[in-house]
């Protein structure tokens, strides 16, 4: 009985002490847990991404995945290059193994493969079209040479008219494809092709490509949705005019 009275007095004292200190509570800042911090994803150097076997490796890039930020997010660019394009490059190498195309350049395969070699033709188009697309861009500031600028003005009116024509041709596409600046003889032209068709394929022979813009949705939709015009406006900021100048003179 005495023990119960002592216990009751102790409990009452603790409750009283707790009530008296209610207004003396101190706010304590809880430190941020590391598990709540999402680290910025690091992407590998494109030069480290290789095909399983030859003869064709991944097209070389002169920039990193995060260096065309207005055009692609680093993650989207990585997926396009290191997942989608890598898979197609591996398929192309497997498809040409043991065929008459095995020792040809990719440009010669594009020029020679016909509908008797539909799978090789398709894969060569995918590979070479992407190669041109990657090479057509740079984060560095470049300009058309005087010769190329004159040719653009002669054939299209002005650089701005050239950009308008790119947009117009891009909107003519009914689905996926590419829009190109090509040179045939001394003439420049802007053309659009469906799916993976390349202007140099034997049944078309539309000219030598100087620029390529990928208009498959995985290239632009995440950032630009349905605004192809905004996509091309942004692409224009990254045109590798030095490469265009070189290709024009060859």
């Amino acid at each position: 009985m005495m023990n119960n009275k002592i216990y009751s007095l102790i409990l009452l004292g603790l409750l009283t002490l707790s009530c008296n200190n209610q207004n003396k509570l101190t706010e304590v800042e809880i430190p941020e847990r590391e598990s709540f911090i999402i680290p910025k994803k690091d992407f590998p150097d494109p030069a480290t991404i290789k095909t399983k076997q030859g003869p064709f490796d991944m097209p070389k890039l002169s920039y990193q995945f995060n260096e065309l930020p207005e055009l692609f997010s680093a993650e989207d660019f990585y997926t396009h290059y290191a997942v989608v394009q890598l898979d197609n490059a591996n398929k192309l190498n497997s498809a040409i193994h043991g065929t008459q195309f095995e020792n040809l350049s990719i440009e010669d395969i594009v020029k020679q493969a016909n509908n008797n070699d539909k799978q090789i033709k398709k894969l060569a188009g995918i590979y070479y079209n992407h190669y041109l697309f990657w090479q057509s861009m740079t984060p560095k500031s470049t300009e058309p040479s005087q010769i190329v600028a004159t040719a653009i003005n002669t054939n299209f009116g002005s650089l701005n008219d050239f950009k308008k024509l790119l947009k117009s041709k891009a909107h003519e596409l009914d689905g996926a494809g590419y829009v190109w600046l090509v040179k045939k003889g001394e003439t420049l032209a802007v053309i659009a092709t469906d799916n993976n068709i390349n202007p140099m394929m034997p049944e078309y022979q539309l000219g030598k490509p100087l620029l390529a813009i990928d208009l498959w949705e995985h290239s632009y939709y995440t950032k630009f949705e349905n605004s192809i015009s905004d996509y091309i406006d942004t692409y224009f900021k990254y045109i590798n005019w030095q490469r265009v100048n070189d290709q024009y003179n060859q």
Side-chain angles (χ1 to χ4, degrees):
M1 188 72 173
M2 180 61 68
N3 288 339
N4 289 339
K5 286 182 178 180
I6 293 172
Y7 176 78
S8 298
L9 288 172
I10 292 171
L11 182 60
L12 181 61
L14 290 173
L15 289 173
T16 302
L17 181 63
S18 175
C19 291
N20 288 339
N21 289 334
Q22 265 188 333
N23 296 327
K24 296 181 181 180
L25 296 176
T26 303
E27 186 175 326
V28 178
E29 184 178 352
I30 300 174
E32 187 176 13
R33 289 181 56 185
E34 289 187 6
S35 59
F36 295 154
I37 302 173
I38 301 175
K40 183 178 179 180
K41 187 170 183 179
D42 293 324
F43 294 91
D45 185 330
T48 65
I49 297 168
K50 304 290 184 181
T51 54
K52 294 177 182 178
Q53 59 183 13
F56 296 113
D57 212 331
M58 291 299 290
K60 291 183 179 179
L61 301 182
S62 60
Y63 44 84
Q64 300 296 309
F65 293 120
N66 62 352
E67 289 191 273
L68 308 176
E70 293 180 78
L71 203 52
F72 315 108
S73 70
E75 186 169 8
D76 285 345
F77 195 175
Y78 172 81
T79 300
H80 194 171
Y81 181 87
V83 179
V84 178
Q85 177 67 347
L86 178 60
D87 180 59
N88 286 317
N90 283 323
K91 288 178 179 176
L92 173 63
N93 284 328
S94 296
I96 64 174
H97 182 69
T99 72
Q100 72 270 29
F101 301 106
E102 188 171 16
N103 297 316
L104 297 181
S105 69
I106 187 62
E107 187 170 312
D108 285 338
I109 295 175
V110 167
K111 289 179 178 179
Q112 294 180 31
N114 56 39
N115 288 331
N116 293 323
D117 310 287
K118 283 187 177 181
Q119 184 66 2
I120 290 176
K121 176 185 173 182
K122 172 186 172 182
L123 291 169
I126 293 173
Y127 182 92
Y128 193 43
N129 292 1
H130 276 90
Y131 164 77
L132 291 170
F133 179 51
W134 307 135
Q135 295 295 315
S136 293
M137 298 177 290
T138 178
K140 298 177 181 178
S141 178
T142 60
E143 293 183 356
S145 66
Q146 186 60 50
I147 294 175
V148 169
T150 299
I152 287 174
N153 292 339
T154 300
N155 288 274
F156 309 121
S158 69
L159 197 61
N160 194 50
D161 289 331
F162 166 54
K163 181 164 66 171
K164 288 179 181 178
L165 187 56
L166 285 174
K167 293 179 184 179
S168 176
K169 289 295 182 180
H171 282 102
E172 289 177 11
L173 277 174
D174 185 18
Y178 286 78
V179 64
W180 310 84
L181 171 65
V182 299
K183 180 184 179 186
K184 190 167 187 179
E186 296 303 313
T187 302
L188 294 181
V190 172
I191 62 171
T193 60
D194 295 328
N195 299 319
N196 301 301
I197 291 172
N198 184 283
M200 297 188 299
M201 286 178 172
E203 67 268 48
Y204 300 102
Q205 299 184 36
L206 298 173
K208 178 180 177 61
L210 304 182
L211 277 180
I213 306 178
D214 189 341
L215 289 172
W216 285 70
E217 282 193 349
H218 60 243
S219 292
Y220 67 87
Y221 191 82
T222 301
K223 211 165 187 67
F224 299 95
E225 296 185 349
N226 290 318
S227 184
I228 290 176
S229 292
D230 287 347
Y231 171 53
I232 291 177
D233 279 336
T234 307
Y235 166 87
F236 232 72
K237 299 178 183 179
Y238 294 103
I239 288 180
N240 186 355
W241 285 109
Q242 184 58 55
R243 186 182 187 281
V244 176
N245 299 337
D246 293 343
Q247 292 299 305
Y248 183 89
N249 292 326
Q250 284 184 6

